[in-house]
């Protein structure tokens, strides 16, 4: 039976370009997962959007002397272009700056208020006389009391990842004027997280399919005791509080951004002309929702958003939160402020999308931090994509094209060696699917698909069809047909990872339409003898090893 799968992907702040860390943390795994489930014939909805509100966007606007709208619109357009070029196949990538999102966020705010889960309280917030305003979140910086990092912000320390209260910052100063703020009383709405502690623990503890790091972190977070959190701010950019008397306040960006998963689903349904379709993913009991993000966002998705959903009522809680650890860069933690990052638009201007998707998936930080290096990128491209998979394809297709009149050869009786390879293909294809369903993307790729590609290469070396071509035409045809059948299996197994080269290979094998339409099943009979092949062309480009050094030197110099 077909399953309903919501693929909910972290919302990037529209205040800067996407970098490879975010790409590895959320976008590539989510896309692999969505493509797999679509091929399986499941009902998939993959949504996200630009997080267009909050102080990250307003600060960037003030730094550049333009409006927050202009900042958001610039990056929103850039994100859409990146998804297109990297093949991230959202069903909808919208933004939080829509009427639809505003209405839904305000509805949830109002319902939580009516249900008794929001209350107002006076608190102290930094206020600058020089700037003439309250300085919310990122408008103040200072030294982190936990790790001594001197660039910690009012809401969080980027160095140690801890959430902070502005009052904890040592040597607090305004990021606008450098002024030392005073702390002044202001009234804000608080989300009563304390009311959900036990319910959340009871929900998380039995989640046997969650990644241990996500589950343990969340349980530790809850056992440490929750505190009610302020969910409004004294700023002008963002979603207004839907109650009278709070004109100068906006809903905190994190509170409304997580609502984006729901509002985007509803927008998608409305755009399709089936306004109730979102309910299939949010209210239907058999629907499963998977949330993809980097580990810094775990508590928002395993604690805060579920608490909001419980308080609102009637909507599904996350089924799984397969958050990734960090993908570092050249042995060091990514830092956008120091520009220690590889920016996605810059990468896509100069290189192909599939090698990046591949290298990210092969080293995906599923259980611990991993590292991206250009040396590793070039090595994996040359040794694995070009030499293992690309070369297998090229050898087999070229020999068949030349020696068998450009068609899929007709095999003779299959010998044991050939049959064993087909059996292995069947087994590995099944394992790839099982691992993909469990969000084990690295294992599905390396232990499943790429191991099969290696086995096919070894088979080819044993059979040496380039020698038998002159002496035994039937044996040669059998070898090439067997190898090509396994290549057709690899095409499907690798398609969620390598959609662009997958389509090229699909056409070279003489198929029409898209790999995606063929479904997630494979049989040796999928490839028909006599089917016309297209003239083979290399799937991947070998890269000059000097690129590794040049690119490493380039890091930190962009933007
Ligand atoms: Zn810190």
């Amino acid at each position: 039976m077909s399953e309903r799968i919501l693929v909910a992907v972290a919302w990037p702040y529209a205040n800067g370009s996407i970098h490879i860390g975010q790409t590895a943390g959320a976008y590539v795994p989510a896309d692999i997962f969505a493509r797999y489930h679509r091929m399986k014939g499941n009902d998939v909805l993959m949504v996200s959007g630009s997080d267009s509100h909050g102080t990250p966007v307003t600060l960037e606007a003030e730094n550049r002397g333009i409006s927050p709208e202009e900042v958001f619109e610039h990056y929103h357009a850039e994100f859409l272009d990146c998804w297109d070029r990297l093949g991230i196949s959202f069903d909808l990538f919208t933004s939080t700056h829509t009427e639809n999102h505003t209405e839904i966020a305000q509805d949830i705010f109002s319902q939580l208020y009516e249900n008794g889960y929001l209350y107002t309280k006076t608190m102290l917030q930094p206020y600058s006389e020089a700037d003439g305003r309250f300085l919310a979140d990122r408008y103040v910086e200072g030294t982190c009391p936990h790790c001594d990092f001197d660039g910690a912000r009012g809401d969080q320390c980027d160095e140690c990842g801890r959430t902070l209260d502005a009052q904890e910052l040592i040597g607090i100063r305004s990021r606008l004027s450098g002024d030392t703020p005073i702390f002044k009383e202001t009234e804000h709405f608080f989300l009563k997280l304390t009311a959900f502690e036990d319910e959340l623990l009871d929900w998380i503890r039995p989640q046997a399919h969650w990644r241990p790091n996500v589950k343990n972190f969340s349980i530790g977070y809850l056992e440490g005791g929750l505190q009610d959190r302020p969910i409004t701010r004294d700023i002008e950019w963002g979603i207004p509080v839907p109650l009278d008397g709070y004109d100068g306040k906006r809903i905190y960006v994190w509170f409304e951004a997580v609502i984006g998963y729901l509002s985007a689903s509803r927008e998608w349904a409305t755009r399709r002309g089936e306004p109730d379709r979102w309910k299939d993913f949010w209210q239907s009991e058999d629907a499963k929702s998977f949330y993809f993000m980097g580990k810094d966002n775990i508590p928002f998705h395993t604690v805060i958003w579920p608490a909001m959903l419980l308080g609102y009522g009637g909507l599904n809680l996350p089924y799984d939160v397969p958050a990734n650890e960090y993908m570092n860069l050249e042995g060091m933690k990514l830092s956008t402020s120091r520009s220690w990052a590889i920016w996605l638009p810059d990468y896509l201007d100069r290189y192909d999308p599939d090698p990046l998707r591949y290298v990210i998936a092969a080293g995906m930080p599923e259980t611990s931090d991993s590292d991206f290096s250009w040396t590793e990128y070039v090595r994996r491209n040359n040794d694995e994509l070009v030499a293992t998979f690309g070369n297998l394809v090229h050898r087999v297709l070229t020999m068949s094209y030349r020696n068998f009149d450009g068609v899929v050869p007709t095999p003779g009786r299959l010998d044991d060696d050939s049959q064993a390879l087909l059996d292995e293909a069947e087994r590995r294809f099944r394992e790839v699917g099982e691992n993909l369903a469990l969000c084990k993307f690295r294992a599905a790729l390396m232990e499943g698909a790429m191991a099969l590609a290696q086995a096919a290469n070894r088979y080819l070396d044993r059979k040496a069809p380039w020698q038998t071509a002159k002496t035994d035409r039937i044996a040669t045809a059998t070898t090439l047909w067997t190898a090509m059948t396994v290549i057709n299996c690899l095409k499907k197994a690798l398609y969620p990872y390598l959609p662009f080269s997958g389509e090229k290979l699909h056409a070279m094998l003489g198929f029409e339409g898209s790999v995606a339409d063929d479904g997630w099943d494979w049989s040796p009979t999928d490839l028909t003898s006599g089917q016309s092949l297209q003239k083979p062309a290399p799937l991947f480009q070998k890269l000059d090893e000097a690129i590794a050094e040049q690119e490493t030197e380039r890091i930190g110099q962009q933007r």
Side-chain angles (χ1 to χ4, degrees):
M1 203 193 87
S2 133
E3 290 183 89
R4 292 210 170 95
I5 307 282
L6 175 68
V7 182
V9 198
W11 291 53
Y13 275 128
N15 74 332
S17 296
I18 301 279
H19 57 69
I20 283 186
Q22 295 163 290
T23 311
Y27 305 108
V28 166
D31 185 66
I32 292 168
F33 190 70
R35 284 179 188 270
Y36 161 71
H37 277 291
R38 289 190 196 114
M39 279 177 86
K40 276 209 80 172
N42 289 330
D43 194 9
V44 175
L45 174 58
M46 176 175 169
V47 291
S48 181
S50 293
D51 193 345
S52 46
H53 296 143
T55 60
V57 176
T58 54
L59 255 180
E60 180 70 13
E62 283 176 73
N63 285 340
R64 293 214 224 161
I66 55 176
S67 71
E69 280 97 335
E70 285 172 300
V71 171
F72 142 68
E73 277 162 10
H74 170 83
Y75 286 110
H76 184 61
E78 187 184 288
F79 295 164
L80 286 169
D81 177 57
C82 281
W83 307 145
D84 190 41
R85 289 198 283 164
L86 189 60
I88 307 296
S89 55
F90 285 111
D91 293 295
L92 179 66
F93 186 84
T94 178
S95 86
T96 53
H97 200 57
T98 65
E99 262 179 51
N100 170 68
H101 177 71
T102 300
E103 276 171 28
I104 292 166
Q106 289 184 333
D107 170 54
I108 291 192
F109 186 100
S110 303
Q111 276 300 316
L112 288 173
Y113 184 70
E114 276 174 35
N115 294 349
Y117 296 117
L118 297 187
Y119 62 92
T120 56
K121 196 174 87 174
T122 299
M123 65 187 297
L124 290 171
Q125 280 286 287
Y127 181 90
S128 162
E129 302 283 358
D131 302 326
R133 60 195 262 183
F134 280 103
L135 301 172
D137 303 320
R138 299 195 180 195
Y139 278 89
V140 284
E141 63 182 6
T143 304
C144 172
H146 304 288
C147 74
D148 288 338
F149 173 63
D150 185 39
R153 303 177 316 230
D155 54 348
Q156 184 175 320
C157 171
D158 273 351
E159 194 64 22
C160 67
R162 285 187 176 85
T163 44
L164 296 174
D165 188 313
Q167 282 176 278
E168 297 175 80
L169 289 176
I170 300 158
I172 186 171
R173 57 196 178 265
S174 163
R175 280 181 72 186
L176 295 175
S177 59
D179 183 36
T180 302
I182 56 162
F183 280 86
K184 200 169 154 178
E185 286 198 333
T186 174
E187 187 185 21
H188 280 294
F189 285 83
F190 280 68
L191 174 63
K192 208 182 211 173
L193 283 171
T194 44
F196 300 100
E197 244 174 56
D198 294 339
E199 210 174 338
L200 288 169
L201 270 171
D202 290 346
W203 168 63
I204 293 176
R205 282 203 175 108
Q207 303 289 2
H209 59 285
W210 282 25
R211 289 183 179 171
N213 40 342
V214 175
K215 186 174 168 179
N216 294 338
F217 177 89
S218 304
I219 289 174
Y221 193 90
L222 284 161
E223 285 179 342
L226 294 180
Q227 287 183 333
D228 296 347
R229 287 174 75 117
I231 53 142
T232 47
R233 293 292 188 271
D234 294 292
I235 54 173
E236 284 166 8
W237 173 247
I239 296 182
V241 173
L243 294 168
D244 288 338
Y246 299 95
D247 286 350
K249 300 186 195 289
R250 295 292 178 269
I251 299 177
Y252 179 42
V253 65
W254 256 110
F255 179 89
E256 52 114 333
V258 288
I259 295 171
Y261 301 116
L262 174 65
S263 63
S265 303
R266 295 185 65 157
E267 183 183 341
W268 165 83
T270 305
R271 284 183 183 217
R272 280 170 66 99
E274 301 175 273
D276 285 336
R277 264 284 269 152
W278 66 275
K279 293 179 181 169
D280 291 347
F281 297 94
W282 286 90
Q283 295 186 333
S284 156
E285 272 186 31
D286 63 349
K288 290 177 178 169
S289 50
F290 293 79
Y291 290 74
F292 290 86
M293 75 212 64
K295 67 177 162 188
D296 48 338
N297 289 342
I298 292 173
F300 293 101
H301 294 85
T302 61
V303 175
I304 296 173
W305 176 229
M308 290 163 65
L309 288 166
L310 288 170
Y312 184 78
L315 298 173
N316 292 343
L317 292 176
Y319 173 77
D320 196 4
V321 183
N324 272 335
E325 304 284 298
Y326 291 139
M327 182 171 262
N328 297 320
L329 176 58
E330 304 286 352
M332 282 195 280
K333 201 175 167 234
L334 282 162
S335 163
T336 51
S337 54
R338 287 194 294 272
S339 204
W340 190 256
I342 295 168
W343 305 102
L344 195 50
D346 182 54
Y347 171 90
L348 291 167
D349 284 346
R350 293 170 308 119
Y351 297 100
D352 290 334
D354 276 355
L356 181 63
R357 295 175 62 107
Y358 177 84
V359 171
I360 282 176
M364 196 169 280
E366 291 168 10
T367 49
S368 58
D369 288 355
S370 67
D371 192 57
F372 181 97
S373 76
W374 279 104
T375 308
E376 184 73 348
Y377 171 86
V378 172
R379 187 194 68 74
R380 282 200 191 272
N381 180 78
N382 289 354
D383 292 359
E384 296 174 13
L385 283 180
V386 175
T388 303
F389 181 47
N391 203 26
L392 169 72
V393 171
H394 202 62
R395 284 202 290 178
V396 171
L397 292 195
T398 308
M399 257 184 288
S400 304
Y401 194 81
R402 285 197 195 133
N403 296 308
F404 292 90
D405 305 320
V407 301
V408 177
T410 305
R413 196 176 159 276
L414 290 190
D415 56 288
D416 289 351
D417 199 5
S418 304
Q419 187 58 52
L421 183 67
L422 293 181
D423 292 345
E424 180 173 352
E426 194 176 356
R427 176 170 62 80
R428 296 230 187 248
F429 186 75
R430 195 177 54 240
E431 287 168 1
V432 169
E434 286 164 1
N435 276 322
L436 282 173
L438 295 170
C439 298
K440 294 183 176 174
F441 304 109
R442 214 175 46 203
L445 177 61
M446 302 312 284
E447 293 159 29
M450 290 309 283
L452 178 60
Q454 285 164 354
N457 273 318
R458 289 193 298 269
Y459 165 83
L460 215 54
D461 289 342
R462 285 195 300 275
K463 292 289 188 183
W466 44 90
Q467 284 171 5
T468 60
K470 294 158 210 140
T471 55
D472 189 341
R473 197 165 164 80
I474 292 176
T476 309
T478 305
T479 302
L480 291 176
W481 177 86
T482 303
M484 208 183 292
T485 294
V486 171
I487 286 169
N488 193 43
C489 175
L490 285 168
K491 174 196 78 182
K492 289 192 178 185
L494 287 168
Y495 181 73
Y497 298 87
L498 307 171
F500 295 95
S501 24
E503 299 292 14
K504 267 202 259 177
L505 177 54
H506 193 59
M508 283 197 283
L509 287 168
F511 292 101
E512 289 180 355
S514 164
V515 183
D517 302 331
D518 278 9
W520 187 266
D521 51 42
W522 170 78
S523 150
T525 57
D526 290 349
L527 196 64
T528 316
S529 295
Q531 177 167 315
S532 289
L533 300 168
Q534 277 186 9
K535 191 170 191 302
L539 284 179
F540 307 101
Q541 271 186 18
K542 192 167 184 207
L543 295 172
D544 189 333
E545 283 179 20
I547 283 176
E549 203 179 321
Q550 291 159 12
E551 289 292 348
T552 310
E553 273 175 26
R554 223 165 154 263
I555 303 173
Q557 293 169 11
Q558 299 296 303
R559 284 167 214 232

